[in-house]
Amino acid sequence: PSIAAPQLQIDASTLLAALLGQNAAFPQQLQQQRPNQMPATLPSAILAHLSTAVPAAVPSSMAMLQQRVETTAATETKPPPSLTHRPAIPLSLELDEKTLSPYQCELRKHIELFETQMEDITTLQGRNIPIKLGQVGIRCRHCAQHRNAAGRISKGGVYYSKSLEGLYQVAQNLSKVHLCSSCPNIPESTKARLAQMQLVNKRASGGKEYWVYGLDQLGVYEDGKILRFRPEEHRREESKSGN
């Protein structure tokens, strides 16, 4: 419904200031005057009134307002960053053995980086912070290939980090909670060996720093408080495979 000009005891300058975000008290003023006749869509109603009440006085301001409305709408409907569609990749690198302890080298062989798809979001449970489409996480390589009937990975088999540096610690959590204890898909001999190596682990120099370096080499970057794959990294890989 529209707002008829005679019903509002508010001058055009006050109305315009409110529309341009310069008068925070305007909505309260309007509510006090017409408490039972507020329109369902206030912005459209006000725009209609403004265009009929003061068309000649504020043509440039009307254009500014319309541009602001269109910009806001475009921002709200902006799609999330596109997926790179890069397949999951092992966390381990050939250089691991030159820098890390035997335990860290072994651990990285059982973890993979993956890009979150829509089906991953629908199967994740018990997370306080929502996971975003395209967000990069780590997961158990064994359980990724043996999901349950609901398409879920076994408990403790998936972790996300807010930063490149933080991924080192979440990988240690994955090892302790999942790989060395509850993982139903890792060979028992491998589980026992990894658990034993964890007990005598002595991290080689450059541990955390090397993990950050390795992620960069694998094309992972920080996007705010989540990790993503660099799109150009996937295109470079496709180009190499095409040659």
Side-chain angles (χ1 to χ4, degrees):
S2 61
I3 302 178
Q7 294 178 324
L8 295 176
Q9 302 302 316
I10 299 174
D11 59 76
S13 61
T14 301
L15 179 60
L16 181 59
L19 288 169
L20 296 179
Q22 300 171 354
N23 188 350
F26 173 73
Q28 289 82 353
Q29 296 174 7
L30 185 59
Q31 183 71 279
Q32 292 172 359
Q33 293 189 41
R34 308 295 296 176
N36 299 319
Q37 299 183 29
M38 291 294 290
T41 54
L42 182 60
S44 299
I46 293 178
L47 282 172
H49 170 63
L50 183 59
S51 62
T52 56
V54 286
V58 289
S60 60
S61 298
M62 279 293 293
M64 291 169 56
L65 175 61
Q66 185 63 33
Q67 182 178 11
R68 175 175 294 188
V69 171
E70 292 174 354
T71 301
T72 301
T75 302
E76 291 177 349
T77 58
K78 183 179 179 180
S82 59
L83 294 167
T84 65
H85 300 289
R86 188 179 182 186
I89 56 175
L91 185 59
S92 60
L93 296 170
E94 293 182 2
L95 294 175
D96 289 0
E97 296 181 359
K98 296 181 179 181
T99 307
L100 302 175
S101 68
Y103 164 67
Q104 295 292 338
C105 293
E106 182 69 19
L107 171 61
R108 287 164 64 90
K109 294 176 182 178
H110 302 283
I111 298 176
E112 65 183 17
L113 294 161
F114 74 99
E115 184 177 57
T116 302
Q117 309 292 318
M118 186 56 67
E119 55 266 29
D120 296 314
I121 295 177
T122 57
T123 57
L124 289 171
Q125 291 183 328
R127 295 188 179 276
N128 296 326
I129 302 177
I131 302 303
K132 298 182 180 181
L133 185 66
Q135 184 172 351
V136 169
I138 59 172
R139 66 189 179 194
C140 169
R141 296 186 67 186
H142 306 280
C143 292
Q145 300 174 18
H146 300 88
R147 303 184 181 223
N148 62 24
R152 298 190 181 99
I153 289 178
S154 299
K155 183 178 180 180
V158 177
Y159 280 82
Y160 289 90
S161 174
K162 295 180 180 180
S163 65
L164 295 174
E165 184 175 352
L167 192 131
Y168 168 85
Q169 186 56 55
V170 298
Q172 309 312 307
N173 295 341
L174 189 153
S175 175
K176 181 179 179 180
V177 174
H178 182 79
L179 287 170
C180 292
S181 57
S182 64
C183 179
N185 297 304
I186 188 173
E188 287 299 321
S189 59
T190 303
K191 180 188 295 186
R193 183 175 72 253
L194 191 61
Q196 180 61 31
M197 295 174 71
Q198 183 186 40
L199 293 176
V200 297
N201 174 49
K202 294 182 180 179
R203 190 186 67 187
S205 61
K208 290 185 178 181
E209 293 78 8
Y210 177 82
W211 279 65
V212 174
Y213 165 79
L215 290 171
D216 179 70
Q217 293 299 300
L218 292 170
V220 180
Y221 74 100
E222 294 180 3
D223 180 18
K225 292 187 177 181
I226 67 172
L227 303 182
R228 291 188 184 276
F229 280 136
R230 288 195 295 267
E232 64 270 19
E233 192 73 20
H234 184 43
R235 288 197 295 267
R236 190 181 303 117
E237 289 181 351
E238 288 183 331
S239 177
K240 290 181 180 178
S241 62
N243 294 334

